Amino acid sequence: MAALIAENFRFLSLFFKSKDVMIFNGLVALGTVGSEELFSVVAFNCPCSPARNYIYGLAAIGVPALALFLIGVIWNNHTWNLVAECHKRGTKNFSAAATFLLFGSIMGRASVAPITWSVISLLRGEAYICALSEFVKPSSLDKFPADYGAEVLAKFPCRDIPANLTKFRDEVTRRLRYESQLFGWLLIGIVAVLVFLTKCLKHCCSPLSYRQEAYWAQYRSNEDKLFRRTAEVHSRILAAKNVKQFFGFVALDKEEKELVQEFPVEGVQPSPQWNAITGVYIYRENKGFPLYSRLHKWAKGVEGNGPTPEGHELLFLAS
């Protein structure tokens, strides 16, 4: 029971595990700002027509945000680790809270770009003004001509209006831009508070010291780099052997010849080994020694996800 409680609460540490994540999120936000500016200059063109303004304005904010969110989910390695975990082992090793928080980690990282897009769109105000100009009540405008209605209000974002309505257009634009920017600043404040609370919970709930957590982040980064580099070399050498077997020779450059001579490859890893090192990983300890990844766990020969006769694995946080 104690281990289950520890898993549920300390799993919060999966958020913002390293400074690299913060740097990446910052770069994503900057890229989104540039994309939104380009979109506003090149693509945004309010139709200034009743009923169409609302749909177009909301689509200009929501559709790109949705696309950016889906791209963020697709590009997140945790997404495919979770898919592999569910396919191979199911979620029996995770409590409902842990599964929910893992989804939260994926959704949180994927939300950086769409939230940035929405904030910039709201601060600029063009899409909001386009969407809601026709819904401004004429009675709220002092001395607004009674013979004009929503059809004329819908044309305010395009400035294609009679001269006697210019002052009303300025007032409507100012009012809607104020509302749009207010929502933008509120969204920034809400996100900032959530990030602050998440960071506080992460540091309070983490079972690792600051130095060990930094070491774990460095280990994961180095393991991933070395694994990718070694896999690329291994696959190249294996491909060279198979091509040579088919043609009788293989055309290699000098570097590739050196690789083939230096690193003999006898075969490929069986599927059970690939499955053992693939999927979501929850930080564990065995006999007091940390296991920093699925590959580390496999290399140490530790089997299973629960207590074993040889030692006890502590369930703490996802990698």
Side-chain angles (χ1 to χ4, degrees):
M1 184 64 181
L4 181 61
I5 295 175
E7 177 190 359
N8 292 340
F9 286 96
R10 293 175 178 178
F11 206 87
L12 291 168
S13 299
L14 64 91
F15 294 95
F16 301 102
K17 291 185 292 296
S18 69
K19 294 180 179 179
D20 291 340
V21 173
M22 301 299 292
I23 294 173
F24 176 78
N25 290 340
L27 293 176
V28 170
L30 289 176
T32 305
V33 171
S35 301
E36 203 282 334
E37 291 291 334
L38 180 63
F39 173 81
S40 298
V41 173
V42 177
F44 186 80
N45 188 15
C46 185
C48 293
S49 174
R52 296 180 180 177
N53 282 13
Y54 183 71
I55 297 176
Y56 184 83
L58 293 184
I61 299 176
V63 173
L66 176 61
L68 291 170
F69 176 78
L70 294 177
I71 291 173
V73 172
I74 292 172
W75 278 358
N76 193 328
N77 290 334
H78 290 303
T79 301
W80 308 115
N81 284 334
L82 181 61
V83 171
E85 184 74 21
C86 293
H87 177 67
K88 297 296 182 182
R89 288 172 284 269
T91 58
K92 60 183 179 180
N93 298 321
F94 302 129
S95 65
T99 304
F100 173 78
L101 290 173
L102 180 58
F103 273 108
S105 174
I106 297 173
M107 300 299 115
R109 293 188 185 184
S111 298
V112 174
I115 288 176
T116 303
W117 179 280
S118 301
V119 167
I120 298 301
S121 297
L122 290 171
L123 293 180
R124 288 181 62 89
E126 282 86 351
Y128 188 89
I129 293 172
C130 176
L132 297 181
S133 61
E134 64 181 287
F135 297 103
V136 175
K137 294 182 179 180
S139 58
S140 66
L141 303 173
D142 187 29
K143 298 181 180 180
F144 187 82
D147 51 341
Y148 293 114
E151 184 174 351
V152 173
L153 290 170
K155 296 181 179 180
F156 278 11
C158 296
R159 303 173 182 267
D160 185 18
I161 57 174
N164 63 324
L165 297 180
T166 301
K167 66 176 183 178
F168 298 107
R169 179 190 62 79
D170 294 339
E171 182 179 351
V172 169
T173 300
R174 183 169 56 252
R175 182 187 302 179
L176 293 178
R177 178 168 283 111
Y178 154 76
E179 294 177 0
S180 179
Q181 292 182 347
L182 177 61
F183 290 139
W185 291 120
L186 287 176
L187 182 58
I188 291 176
I190 292 172
V191 172
V193 170
L194 290 177
V195 170
F196 172 75
L197 293 177
T198 300
K199 292 287 288 183
C200 291
L201 287 173
K202 180 258 182 183
H203 286 290
C204 291
C205 298
S206 176
L208 306 180
S209 66
Y210 172 78
R211 291 187 180 275
Q212 187 178 8
E213 189 169 348
Y215 177 86
W216 186 26
Q218 292 173 348
Y219 173 85
R220 293 197 312 270
S221 177
N222 289 326
E223 182 189 82
D224 182 66
K225 291 177 183 177
L226 291 173
F227 187 91
R228 291 176 181 271
R229 190 186 309 163
T230 305
E232 195 276 333
V233 173
H234 186 281
S235 62
R236 186 184 303 185
I237 297 174
L238 181 63
K241 290 182 61 177
N242 293 336
V243 171
K244 182 178 181 180
Q245 184 174 354
F246 183 82
F247 286 106
F249 73 97
V250 59
L252 301 175
D253 58 28
K254 182 178 179 180
E255 179 184 356
E256 290 171 335
K257 290 180 180 179
E258 293 176 353
L259 289 176
V260 171
Q261 294 175 357
E262 185 177 359
F263 304 111
V265 173
E266 301 300 332
V268 297
Q269 286 66 34
S271 294
Q273 289 187 9
W274 286 101
N275 293 336
I277 66 170
T278 303
V280 177
Y281 180 71
I282 297 179
Y283 174 84
R284 289 171 169 85
E285 292 183 1
N286 183 263
K287 297 181 180 179
F289 291 94
L291 300 172
Y292 290 121
S293 69
R294 282 195 173 277
L295 181 60
H296 188 191
K297 181 180 175 183
W298 173 84
K300 290 296 184 181
V302 178
E303 300 292 339
N305 290 311
T308 63
E310 294 78 13
H312 183 69
E313 295 181 1
L314 303 177
L315 311 184
F316 283 146
L317 42 108
S319 172

